[in-house]
Structure formats: structure tokens, C-alpha cells
Amino acid sequence: MKIMSKKASMSQNINQRRTVHDFPNVIAVKRQDCLGGFFTPTLADITVKHKMLEDYFRSPTVGLLLPLGSKREQDTFPETLNYCLNWGIALERIVVIHSPRAQAVVDHLGLKEKGCVILNEAAMLDLFNLERIHSLFAVDLAKHKGKGRAFSMAFAYLKYVKQWQKLKDLFVLDVDINATQYRPLHYLGYAQAIFPDQERLFLLTAQNNTLRDNHYLFVMRDPWRHENELGCHYAKHFDRLVWSLTGETMLRWDMLVEHIPFAIAYGMETVWQLFAADWVALSQQGNYKVAQVVNPQTKRDGGSLGQSGRCYDATMYRQLSLMAWFLIKYGKPLYKFTPEDYHTVNTRLSLVNRTAILPDNEDHGLPYDVQLHSDLFIPPLGMLASEDCLNI
């Protein structure tokens, strides 16, 4: 009998990675079910249907919303825009919502002159009765800024000012990505154009090769299911999502625009899925769906197309977990929220303004003590309109 040397054995073991199957006391491991559809196209599949996808993206029922937050996206934004234009999306159906800090990028690229719908966040504030919103819902839209606030402004403009009558499928993309390599519309477009579903609320990009660690979100939500029935309800929905924070999404504008709530900042995608969980559960025969399409390409985003540090990501995940946790502790599903409910939960969230976070790799010092504003809920446009909070 040949006995393997200790050195050879150690070398072989180094290349072996333990998985959940190897964890002590695991009873069983099985795949989740995606009740709304789970698509896994290859680039070859997409290439065969390229003409159908082009025809789909040229339709007046399709729109695109791009958030431009800062000057640091000036190198990646043109690539993302050109990538979208190559699919045939008309410039007049591309909306760019930008912060004042990104005005120089908008001017330099001549986006307005090219025909894009350009929205400046500062100007869009005029659409809202800020004092009344603050008083009724305990969220200060003038003071707190972020991606979710920007999207609420864009939605208000497109619903009540621009009024895209034919818009049905609204695609949302991050702009600080390697778009030509990541190819987000290839995969989203394939699932939506080739396998349409009139009851599909959202189509999410399922990405498990991102430079961020998806597992943090799963671990953080585990207490939900042990808190109450509402927590179990939301955990069950999120358990089936590969990446609930994806910045590459399709949503059914015509079904959701007046009903869907927002958040101030990064919590927007989480709030959208909390709301979607309610609607999916409420549909009589499982009609409403959240579908996912796998994009196997590696997404690079944040900074200079690299990776946000673990410290940054952990801070973001903590914020998102807090919003869901306070909702679950409150004990009322989001779709049933009244103005008084939003005010109560936002007030409680506002008091949570301190945490401790480890520094990034290679920093072996003590953890940080961090003071920051909590992300807050923004009510849906229908509620804002009914409460006389829109200057339309």
C-alpha cells in the first residue's frame, strides 16, 4: 500500500474548500424554489434571439432609468449609455436623474442636447411639499440624500409631469459598472422579451459572482423568521433571491408606479422587495411574481470599477437590515402602512444613529465607532398625492 506523504496530503487539502454540506450537524441541504421564474440563458442563447431583443428594446413600452450620483462615474457612465443605445433604446426613453455634483458630467457629455430626459435632483425637489412630507411621514427629503430619494423624484416626474402613457417595462441600471463586459440588458432583456409574463412585478439580476459577499444578507435576516409571522413572511420571500440588492432590475411601471414605496438611500431595493413580498403573498392564485435571471459575468462596480471595501459593504448591509427589522418588530406589513405608520417607524429608525464596524483588510486596528443617519422609508406616490404632498 502506498502511503501519501504528509506534505502531499497537506498540499491536496489546501485546494479543497469546505461548503455548507460539510458543516457540523447539517441535516439536509436542498435548493430553494423560485416561484416566479428562474432563467439561466447562455450568451449563445441570447445571440440566437438578438433580433427579437432589439425589437423589444425599440418598443415605446420600454424605458430606462439611470442614476448619476457623482463625478466619479464620469468614466463609466458613457460606456453604460452607449451599451444601452446599441440595443436600440431611443434617447427620449432614457431618463438620467443626477445629483448637482454630477452636473459637470451631464454638461460635458451633452446628454440633454442628445435627447435624453435629464432630471436634476435639486430641481425635482420642487415636485414635493417638503414640509408636509416631513410632518406627516417623519422623513426630511430636503436634508437626506441618496439613490432612493432620486428614484422617487424621477418616478414622480414620469408619472405626473412627463406622463409616459405607453411605458410598461422600466429597466434600472447602475452606471458605475463595466457594462460592456457585464452585459446587464442581454440577460434581463432575454428573460423579459422571450419569456414575458403579464403578472411579473420584478425581474432581478441573479449574480452570485459579484465582488461583494451575498452571504452577509442571508445571515442578517435569519432572526426575522424567529421573531414573528411577519418576519417569517419576509424571510421566505428574500430566501429565494440570489441578490436582493441588484442594481440591474426590470419593474412593471404600469402596475407599481403609484403603489411602490421607496427609501432614502441604498435601502430602496430592500423596500421594493419587502413590498413585493406582500403583493406576491396577497395574489389570489400566486399571480404576482418576482422572477430572476442569472448573469454569470463578473460585475465590477464602485470606486474605479473595483470593489467597495468590506467596511463600506458592512455599513450598507447593517442599514438595510435595520429597515426590515424595525418593520418586522412593528408587526404590520408594508402594504398596509398608513401615514401614521410611516411616521412611527421612521421616527424610531431616526434614533438609531450609531454602530461599530471593523476596518478594511490590512487595517489591524480596533473597530470603528460610526455615527450615521439611518435610511428611512418614503411612502408611495399614490399616498403622497392623496395626502396633498405633491406640487403637481
Side-chain angles (χ1 to χ4, degrees):
M1 177 184 293
K2 186 176 181 181
I3 300 176
M4 184 180 296
S5 69
K6 183 177 180 180
K7 183 176 181 181
S9 177
M10 288 178 62
S11 176
Q12 188 179 66
N13 289 337
I14 288 174
N15 297 320
Q16 294 179 351
R17 180 180 298 171
R18 293 184 296 176
T19 74
V20 67
H21 300 270
D22 305 310
F23 197 81
N25 300 317
V26 165
I27 299 170
V29 179
K30 66 176 184 178
R31 297 281 186 181
Q32 294 274 354
D33 296 322
C34 181
L35 304 179
F38 193 76
F39 304 98
T40 59
T42 65
L43 278 177
D45 297 329
I46 296 169
T47 300
V48 170
K49 301 293 185 180
H50 195 276
K51 181 62 168 61
M52 289 183 65
L53 266 65
E54 284 187 328
D55 292 342
Y56 167 74
F57 281 120
R58 289 193 177 102
S59 168
T61 63
V62 174
L64 177 67
L65 177 57
L66 302 175
L68 182 56
S70 68
K71 192 176 180 181
R72 74 175 177 83
E73 296 158 342
Q74 63 184 342
D75 296 327
T76 55
F77 182 83
E79 177 186 345
T80 303
L81 180 61
N82 288 331
Y83 165 77
C84 298
L85 291 174
N86 287 337
W87 274 113
I89 302 177
L91 281 162
E92 64 269 17
R93 287 186 284 108
I94 297 177
V95 180
V96 180
I97 177 78
H98 71 90
S99 72
R101 292 179 298 165
Q103 185 64 55
V105 180
V106 173
D107 295 340
H108 175 72
L109 296 175
L111 298 179
K112 188 172 184 179
E113 291 75 16
K114 289 178 180 178
C116 294
V117 179
I118 305 300
L119 307 178
N120 187 314
E121 286 185 45
M124 290 298 102
L125 280 174
D126 292 339
L127 296 176
F128 298 97
N129 185 329
L130 300 175
E131 291 185 6
R132 184 166 176 79
I133 291 174
H134 191 192
S135 173
L136 286 177
F137 305 107
V139 56
D140 190 345
L141 296 182
K143 179 180 179 181
H144 300 295
K145 305 171 184 176
K147 178 180 178 179
R149 187 191 77 157
F151 273 52
S152 70
M153 295 172 176
F155 275 47
Y157 180 85
L158 294 175
K159 173 61 181 177
Y160 301 112
V161 181
K162 179 73 174 181
Q163 295 186 345
W164 277 0
Q165 301 292 350
K166 296 182 179 179
L167 179 60
K168 187 181 78 169
D169 298 347
L170 180 65
F171 288 81
V172 174
L173 303 182
D174 286 338
V175 300
D176 60 342
I177 60 173
N178 53 326
T180 53
Q181 289 81 37
Y182 185 51
R183 300 168 175 155
L185 291 182
H186 281 67
Y187 295 91
L188 287 169
Y190 179 87
Q192 189 65 9
I194 309 304
F195 301 97
D197 188 329
Q198 292 304 309
E199 305 300 329
R200 182 179 295 155
L201 300 175
F202 288 92
L203 175 62
L204 309 179
T205 301
Q207 55 200 63
N208 196 25
N209 56 351
T210 178
L211 294 176
R212 292 191 165 111
D213 192 341
N214 303 20
H215 294 94
Y216 290 140
L217 292 178
F218 282 78
V219 173
M220 284 184 174
R221 80 172 69 110
D222 215 45
W224 301 2
R225 73 186 86 250
H226 304 291
E227 178 63 22
N228 53 33
E229 289 187 10
L230 187 62
C232 289
H233 157 64
Y234 287 128
K236 186 176 181 180
H237 178 83
F238 278 81
D239 283 347
R240 296 188 172 105
L241 304 181
V242 174
W243 186 229
S244 59
L245 301 184
T246 177
E248 289 71 49
T249 301
M250 186 288 305
L251 64 90
R252 277 293 300 274
W253 169 267
D254 55 333
M255 296 166 64
L256 294 172
V257 58
E258 290 190 291
H259 305 286
I260 192 168
F262 302 86
I264 288 289
Y266 289 132
M268 182 186 73
E269 290 91 354
T270 297
V271 170
W272 281 2
Q273 289 311 308
L274 290 168
F275 178 80
D278 292 342
W279 268 35
V280 169
L282 283 169
S283 57
Q284 295 298 316
Q285 299 175 340
N287 293 331
Y288 290 135
K289 305 177 181 71
V290 174
Q292 301 176 77
V293 57
V294 173
N295 184 338
Q297 314 302 324
T298 298
K299 177 182 177 180
R300 296 182 178 274
D301 65 348
S304 56
L305 281 186
Q307 181 179 12
S308 298
R310 292 195 309 162
C311 175
Y312 183 95
D313 287 349
T315 307
M316 176 176 66
Y317 296 157
R318 174 259 185 192
Q319 292 277 64
L320 309 183
S321 180
L322 271 179
M323 296 189 75
W325 181 246
F326 272 67
L327 173 63
I328 290 165
K329 293 287 286 185
Y330 188 62
K332 189 173 185 178
L334 188 56
Y335 85 97
K336 285 187 175 181
F337 263 35
T338 64
E340 293 76 18
D341 296 324
Y342 278 106
H343 190 282
T344 299
V345 173
N346 278 339
T347 300
R348 293 176 181 176
L349 275 170
S350 297
L351 299 176
V352 184
N353 55 14
R354 176 174 254 106
T355 190
I357 295 292
L358 278 173
D360 285 322
N361 286 349
E362 311 304 328
D363 182 338
H364 302 291
L366 289 167
Y368 293 126
D369 176 48
V370 183
Q371 287 185 276
L372 72 171
H373 294 294
S374 288
D375 210 340
L376 303 174
F377 291 92
I378 300 176
L381 294 182
M383 182 175 290
L384 292 177
S386 65
E387 295 294 333
D388 197 27
C389 292
L390 298 178
N391 300 323
I392 306 298

